[in-house]
């Protein structure tokens, strides 16, 4: 057990039985330390994550088709961008496939909703990151009734089958649903309005979305209940504390990469011969 964790993060954050409406978003499940401990630990665990990701990338360069895909879902200001910057930013960018899914383009609307997702899947050896994902089509679409219920309702089963397909293809899914309180979201939105270096993050529609908070809670609950599976479970992340969220996601990725049991790929050339050539060069 890593110091300051009382239980593995996969146990602390598992979605089974979680009720979103009752979630303590300022809690730090499984972690016994404080902010200072978390920040110190994040440096060491970031190094561990980087080493594992390098092995994944090296194996991909040698033909291994396996990859890891981090799926981040959460309301605006939940901290998805911070995870990308502070967690994924600690690894080799050559081995990262990152995609952020916003409002579908005209071209994307002409295709099945999973079309743009398939186009962004990580290649073999890559650590993929989805900032929002195919789940927007049972979240935003459901809350704002962008399509009739009879169209979005079957998507839960369709998504489950899609993810089973990804697993068969060698993609390990790490699905993280991030939650902040209404008060914490207001605080973070205010920071974006009060700091010039944060203006670019602010969108007036973020305030409008707050009126839909109960509907989003229902939509997220349905997402967890219907798409957290044995092969692709959801992890529920209380995200009021950014330091906890970043450390927890780092631990989830380390766990996923360790389970791949990766080793360095063998040389595909005669090492002794290449050493002799080097000496003569």
């Amino acid at each position: 057990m890593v110091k300051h964790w009382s239980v593995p993060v996969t146990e602390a954050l598992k979605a089974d039985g979680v009720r979103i409406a009752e979630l303590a978003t300022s809690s730090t499940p499984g972690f016994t330390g404080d902010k200072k401990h978390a920040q110190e630990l994040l440096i060491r665990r970031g190094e561990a994550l980087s080493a594992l990701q390098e092995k994944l990338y090296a194996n991909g360069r040698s033909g291994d088709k396996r990859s890891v895909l981090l799926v981040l879902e959460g309301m605006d200001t939940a901290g998805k961008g911070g995870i990308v910057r502070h967690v994924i930013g600690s690894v080799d960018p050559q081995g990262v496939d990152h995609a952020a899914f916003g409002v579908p383009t005209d071209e994307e609307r002409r295709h099945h909703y999973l079309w743009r997702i398939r186009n962004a899947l990580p290649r073999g050896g890559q650590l993929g990151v989805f900032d929002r994902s195919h789940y927007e089509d049972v979240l935003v679409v459901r809350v704002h009734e962008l399509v009739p219920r009879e169209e979005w309702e079957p998507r839960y089963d369709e998504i489950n089958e899609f993810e089973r397909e990804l697993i068969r293809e060698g993609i390990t899914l790490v699905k993280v649903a991030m939650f902040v309180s209404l008060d914490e979201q207001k605080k973070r939105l205010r920071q974006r309005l009060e700091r010039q270096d944060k203006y670019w993050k602010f969108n007036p529609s973020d305030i409008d979305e707050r009126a839909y908070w109960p509907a989003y809670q229902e939509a997220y609950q349905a997402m967890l209940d219907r798409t957290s599976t044995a092969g692709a479970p959801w992890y529920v992340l209380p995200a009021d504390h950014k330091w906890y969220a970043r450390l927890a996601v780092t631990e989830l990725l380390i766990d996923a990469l360790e389970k791949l049991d990766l080793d360095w790929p063998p040389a595909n050339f005669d090492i002794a011969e290449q050493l002799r050539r080097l000496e003569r060069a």
Side-chain angles (χ1 to χ4, degrees):
M1 183 70 62
V2 178
K3 187 179 180 182
H4 298 308
W5 285 97
S6 60
V7 296
V9 69
T10 50
E11 291 297 314
L13 300 182
K14 62 182 180 182
D16 299 352
V18 170
R19 307 309 301 171
I20 299 304
E22 302 168 5
L23 182 67
T25 55
S26 63
S27 62
T28 57
F31 190 67
T32 59
D34 56 20
K35 180 178 180 178
K36 180 176 180 292
H37 294 134
Q39 291 174 330
E40 293 171 349
L41 187 56
L42 182 60
I43 294 172
R44 290 195 290 108
R45 298 303 279 167
E47 292 171 352
L49 174 61
S50 180
L52 287 165
Q53 183 258 354
E54 187 177 7
K55 275 188 180 180
L56 178 69
Y57 180 58
N59 278 272
R61 290 285 299 270
S62 299
D64 194 328
K65 299 300 182 184
R66 291 177 295 173
S67 62
V68 173
L69 174 58
L70 173 64
V71 175
L72 298 172
E73 281 293 348
M75 294 286 286
D76 294 305
T77 78
K80 300 182 294 298
I83 296 296
V84 174
R85 186 175 305 108
H86 295 280
V87 177
I88 306 305
S90 69
V91 307
D92 186 344
Q94 292 183 97
V96 174
D97 281 338
H98 172 251
F101 295 97
V103 177
T105 64
D106 290 340
E107 181 182 10
E108 288 168 343
R109 286 194 183 94
R110 289 194 290 269
H111 294 271
H112 187 274
Y113 72 96
L114 289 175
W115 178 80
R116 65 174 182 165
I117 306 299
R118 292 183 185 278
N119 288 341
L121 290 172
R123 297 159 291 163
Q126 297 287 301
L127 171 57
V129 187
F130 281 179
D131 182 344
R132 301 189 185 275
S133 67
H134 40 301
Y135 285 99
E136 293 299 289
D137 287 277
V138 290
L139 291 171
V140 175
V141 168
R142 169 178 170 155
V143 169
H144 289 283
E145 301 178 339
L146 301 181
V147 299
R149 183 185 185 99
E150 56 267 25
E151 187 171 337
W152 59 255
E153 177 70 33
R155 290 178 177 172
Y156 298 104
D157 292 336
E158 188 174 26
I159 287 172
N160 287 338
E161 179 52 40
F162 170 63
E163 292 183 349
R164 283 191 288 268
E165 176 189 331
L166 299 187
I167 294 168
R168 290 193 294 268
E169 293 174 356
I171 297 177
T172 296
L173 289 157
V174 180
K175 303 190 303 190
V176 181
M178 305 177 66
F179 296 96
V180 293
S181 67
L182 264 172
D183 287 343
E184 179 63 21
Q185 189 199 49
K186 179 179 285 189
K187 173 185 171 183
R188 294 181 184 183
L189 288 174
R190 182 179 292 112
Q191 288 176 343
R192 294 180 180 182
L193 288 169
E194 292 176 345
R195 290 177 49 179
Q196 185 176 3
D197 63 331
K198 300 290 185 181
Y199 291 165
W200 65 274
K201 285 187 173 185
F202 184 78
N203 187 326
S205 67
D206 295 344
I207 296 176
D208 299 331
E209 289 297 279
R210 287 170 61 81
Y212 296 91
W213 199 269
Y216 271 110
Q217 285 192 320
E218 290 181 10
Y220 275 105
Q221 190 67 58
M223 177 191 79
L224 297 178
D225 293 343
R226 298 184 62 176
T227 64
S228 190
T229 63
W234 273 107
Y235 297 106
V236 175
L237 180 57
D240 279 3
H241 296 300
K242 295 178 182 179
W243 51 267
Y244 172 76
R246 293 165 186 173
L247 179 60
V249 173
T250 298
E251 297 291 355
L252 287 171
L253 289 174
I254 288 174
D255 176 79
L257 286 162
E258 286 181 338
K259 286 175 179 174
L260 293 180
D261 195 23
L262 296 165
D263 200 351
W264 295 108
N268 59 358
F269 47 81
D270 186 319
I271 298 173
E273 172 61 23
Q274 297 308 312
L275 283 170
R276 287 192 293 271
R277 291 184 64 234
L278 181 61
E279 287 300 314
R280 296 193 298 267

